[in-house]
Amino acid sequence: MSYEIAVVPGDGIGQEVTPAALEVLSALPVEFTFREARAGDHVAEETGDPLPAETYELAASTDATLFGAAGERAADVILPLREAVGSFVNVRPARAYPGVDALRPETDLVFLRENTEGVYAGHESRLTDDVSTLTRVVTGSASRQLAAFACEYVADGDHDGFTIAHKANVMRETDGRFLETVREVADERGVDTDDVLMDAFATQVCLDPTAFDVVVCPNLAGDVLSDLAAGLVGGLGMLPSANVGTERGLFEPVHGSAPDIAGEGVANPVAAILSAAMLVEFLGHEDAGERVRTAVEGVLADGPRTPDLGGDASTTGLTDAVVDRL
């Protein structure tokens, strides 16, 4: 079976790490057809629109989408692309690898982040010269969908349960609904849960990341807390992510476009390559995804490594080493 993959490199180092991920995918015993599309700041400069309609439609019609990085117009690119694939959960593993100078080498977490609402629903208003407002949206239906996914995720991965990170002590109606709904679904399915205030989690995960395993979060909390965890494992260049829908997915490194190093050929492609591993697993090829992770782990342990990881390898050099191991 051949899979049609939309490829959207985006801005900055997205133009360098996305080809690296494609090289790795091409080295696997899975047949792909890659269809490249344009999006990002440079497209907005040319056309006035950072996300052309044909790019949105391609993401909405292919089997999966591989995305590189977004620049200043990120909200105008990545949020609609997540909508295009029908994503309702963002899966972000944060794991320390051998050979990487991680602040907390024992870290091995997965964040399951609600992906459609919260403060990212986009309901902002400027009422006066002095007052701006933002409406936070939390629905029981989206919370239930995320909770059901979390229950299936922990069951498939042989996890004991999951932690709910929230701020229901202050946002009593919105996070209160989120916490109550996720607990209800977990109870219905016989899945163990505990919960923690998100600000307390931020402290505790730095002191002892082994206290947590799978963490279920509202949208903004998942974004911020997973970036915090990136600091424990060696930086944003180490974090992949999957935006999962019922039929399609969008796979992207967590890092941004890194304009300070764009074009220099030294960007760390690990997050993009690990995102590609999540892509093939989403398509049902778990063994192929595990092969990619094993190859990445071996390269990080033995070298070469890019400058952000203390080495002097180029993007191409690290990618070639992963492909050689495959």
Side-chain angles (χ1 to χ4, degrees), residues 43-58:
V43 180
E45 290 173 4
E46 295 175 17
T47 68
D49 186 356
L51 183 67
E54 55 267 27
T55 300
Y56 181 98
E57 291 162 4
L58 184 65

Side-chain angles (χ1 to χ4, degrees), residues 134-193:
L134 170 63
T135 300
R136 187 171 192 258
V137 179
V138 174
T139 65
S141 54
S143 300
R144 287 189 70 86
Q145 190 174 31
L146 171 64
F149 180 92
C151 291
E152 293 170 8
Y153 185 92
V154 298
D156 291 344
D158 195 28
H159 302 274
D160 292 334
F162 59 81
T163 298
I164 310 165
H166 64 91
K167 195 65 177 170
N169 61 328
V170 174
M171 296 180 285
R172 296 171 183 171
E173 185 56 46
T174 51
D175 263 25
R177 179 187 294 274
F178 178 82
L179 176 61
E180 178 183 342
T181 304
V182 174
R183 276 177 173 166
E184 284 179 356
V185 173
D187 287 344
E188 291 166 4
R189 296 180 176 233
V191 174
D192 291 333
T193 66

Side-chain angles (χ1 to χ4, degrees), residues 95-96 101-108 205-209 231-234:
R95 174 189 170 194
D101 186 17
L103 185 64
R104 289 292 188 185
E106 66 274 29
T107 304
D108 190 359
V205 75
C206 295
L207 296 174
D208 181 15
L232 305 180
V233 302

